[in-house]
Structure formats: structure tokens, C-alpha cells
Amino acid sequence: MAADVWVVIDHERGAVSRVSLQLLTAARALAAGTGGQAVALFAGPGWEQAGPVVARYGPGTVLVWAGEEAVEFQTAPLVAMVAGLVADRQPWGVLFASVPLGKEVAARVAARLGAGVLADVTGITIEGGAPVAEHPAFGGAVVVRKTLRAGPFLICLKPNAVPAVEAAAATPGSPAEEMVTVALPEAARRARVVERVDTSGAGRPAVDQAPVVVSGGRGLQDPANFALVEALADALDGGVGASRAAVDAGWYPHAAQVGQTGKTVSPQLYIAVGISGAIQHRAGMQTAKTIVAINKDPDSPIFALADFGVVGDLFDVVPKLTEEILRRKAQR
């Protein structure tokens, strides 16, 4: 297993997150370079629902810990599972989703193994036999390339860093399933999860995992006008974000805040509506693949990093843009 690339599956009782499918896609590509295979780690209930979805993305093996206690005691059980299996089987490395849960588990696994961990990675390749990772630094102002020297490599890959691509028809098959058990120490049972709250709004994807994000700022002038942002996001099947100014004003929940003190996002498309582009906001979104800014002030800093800019009144531009997107979708 020394050449295998592992992926910790992020899911909610079998509902596999999109970022997990992206991680499996990245793991397949890396495994082609290491000479191993992609291996999925699944912990908790719901494998019956998740199994067919995971299989389409081509892991050669799935290690399943189906116990309810895997999700009953905060992150400690998952840390125990990953750290124990890595220590025992010595894979090439493990990919985690670069979201709060994934980064916490990765950090705690690294501490147990005495290994390093690299978070917020936006790209990873193998060059000269060693992994080379890219990740933003200084609030996203620069992109750093790092060559990793000592395994196991614990890497947190940001959502949307790579597209989720199903395995070719000739290779997926049914992955080999291995049921594993984890003996939890008493210390891992100290913090029990008593409630789970879904913070995503109206069935939209979470802002830090959505491939398309539409964010609104103080230029909306009134919290009721976030309906324009939500309508545009819904037309694009995207998530809704907000600037810190809009959140501080109580216009939108903090869970949707994009920026240095909120979520950092790297969607394929980011649309900033009525956002000036303060440094703290840019730190959370400037690694997006394509940035569109809509603002009536041509001197707004947001235009300095936008790929496409619309200088105009958002109350005219956004409804027409939403209408045109819906019209074109209806013609498909």
C-alpha cells in the first residue's frame, strides 16, 4: 500500500460531498504517478447510500468503518481511524477536504504521526518523483509551489481545486471493500455530538464548496435586496456569499461570509455584486478561477482582480443577467 493515495470521504450519513468526488479524481491522477491506487476511507453510517457514488470515481479499495460511534464523538474517532490505519499500512499520502472538519482531522492526524500537513492546496502534481503542491499565501496575493520531501503526505485540497470526473468505463468496476474496526480510547468519548444543524440555505450548496458563488455587499443597500443575489445564484445552481460589511450589518448570516475572517472559496466562477473589493474580502476569493464584478463605481478595487467587470447599476444588471441565464437554460 506504500504507493496508494488515500482519500477521507466527507459525507453526512451517506450523502457524499462534492469535494470528496474531487478528491477521488485527484487521487486517481496522483496514483497514476506513484504506481498505486486510489483508496477511499469511509467512516460512519450510510455506506449503502454512498457506495455506488464513490465507486463511480474509481477507488481501487474502500476501507469502511460503519460504526455509529464514528460520528458520535466529534472528530476524535475519525482521527483515531485515519492515524491508526496510516501508521499500520503506510500509504503514500492522504487527501483531506480543505474545509474546517478536514483540516482539523488532518492536523490532529499529523500530530499523532509526527508528520507535516499542508492545507488550502489548490493544485498538486508529481515532479521528479516528489509531490509538488500549490497553495495561496499572503491572503491569496501570491501562489507558492512547495516540494514535499517526507511522507506520509497529508494534504488538504481546497474544494473546486480540480473538477470531479468519473473514472473511465474500463477502470471503475466495483472497488474492493474492506470493513475495518477502530478501538476508541476513553479519551475519544469525552465530547459527544448532541445536535447537527444544516446551515446551507434553501437547498443551495455550501458557499465554501459551491462551484459557482454569487456574493453580495453593501452596494445592495438593503438586506431585502439579497433576493437579487439569491435569484442569480439559483439560476446558476450556485451558492450565496456575502461581504463582511453586509454580514456586520446583519444583512446575511455569518456562515456565508467570504473573506479573511470568513470562508475562503475557490469556485470555478465568482460573481461579486455591489462589493468594493476590500483586502480582507479579496483574501477569501481571489483564487477563484473566473471572477466577475458588478459595481457602478469604476474605481472599485474589485475591478483590479476581476476577469470580467460590469460598470453599472446592479439593480439593472443583475435582474437582466438572471433573466438571460434562465432563458438560455430553458432553451437547452
Side-chain angles (χ1 to χ4, degrees):
M1 277 210 170
D4 292 347
V5 183
W6 291 10
V7 170
V8 176
I9 299 297
D10 178 67
H11 71 99
E12 182 62 34
R13 293 192 172 274
V16 180
S17 69
R18 181 180 180 82
V19 65
S20 292
L21 308 181
Q22 296 166 350
L23 295 180
L24 287 169
T25 303
R28 291 204 320 269
L30 289 171
T34 64
Q37 64 175 346
V39 175
L41 276 66
F42 185 94
W47 173 241
E48 297 78 8
Q49 176 185 347
V53 178
V54 171
R56 295 205 306 269
Y57 290 82
T61 301
V62 182
L63 306 179
V64 180
W65 179 26
E68 183 72 33
E69 64 181 359
V71 295
E72 187 179 0
F73 300 102
Q74 218 186 27
T75 57
L78 187 55
V79 172
M81 175 193 186
V82 178
L85 289 172
V86 170
D88 183 47
R89 308 192 186 196
Q90 298 291 311
W92 175 88
V94 186
L95 302 184
F96 302 83
S98 197
V99 297
L101 174 64
K103 288 192 280 191
E104 179 183 345
V105 173
R108 296 178 65 177
V109 169
R112 290 197 179 193
L113 298 176
V117 60
L118 193 57
D120 293 334
V121 171
T122 56
I124 183 166
T125 56
I126 295 180
E127 299 179 13
V132 177
E134 294 182 354
H135 73 99
F138 299 108
V142 298
V143 175
V144 178
R145 284 170 54 86
K146 291 181 177 177
T147 301
L148 310 183
R149 299 297 185 189
F153 306 109
L154 307 180
I155 299 166
C156 299
L157 197 63
K158 285 184 73 67
N160 302 307
V162 300
V165 180
E166 294 187 15
T171 57
S174 297
E177 294 183 16
E178 179 182 349
M179 307 305 290
V180 300
T181 58
V182 178
L184 281 184
E186 197 56 36
R189 303 173 185 271
R190 291 175 177 168
R192 184 186 301 274
V193 177
V194 296
E195 184 182 14
R196 295 178 183 273
V197 178
D198 183 2
T199 58
S200 60
R204 300 184 185 97
V207 67
D208 57 349
Q209 298 193 29
V212 176
V213 174
V214 183
S215 287
R218 287 295 295 267
L220 289 166
Q221 301 180 9
D222 189 279
N225 292 327
F226 255 92
L228 296 174
V229 174
E230 293 173 340
L232 179 55
D234 291 343
L236 294 167
D237 300 320
V240 175
S243 69
R244 189 182 71 178
V247 171
D248 287 349
W251 291 3
Y252 221 69
H254 181 267
Q257 182 178 323
V258 174
Q260 199 165 28
T261 55
K263 303 282 180 60
T264 58
V265 300
S266 296
Q268 297 295 315
L269 173 63
Y270 186 88
I271 302 178
V273 179
I275 294 176
S276 63
I279 291 175
Q280 82 85 25
H281 184 75
R282 295 167 59 166
M285 45 66 73
Q286 61 186 346
T287 57
K289 303 298 185 295
T290 301
I291 298 172
V292 177
I294 302 173
N295 199 302
K296 65 181 180 182
D297 180 2
D299 297 323
S300 288
I302 192 72
F303 288 120
L305 71 156
D307 298 285
F308 301 95
V310 180
V311 179
D313 190 331
L314 68 88
F315 297 104
D316 293 330
V317 174
V318 174
K320 291 177 181 176
L321 177 58
T322 303
E323 180 181 350
E324 180 63 16
I325 291 170
L326 292 175
R327 186 185 69 80
R328 296 195 180 198
K329 289 178 70 174
Q331 292 177 342
R332 290 178 183 171

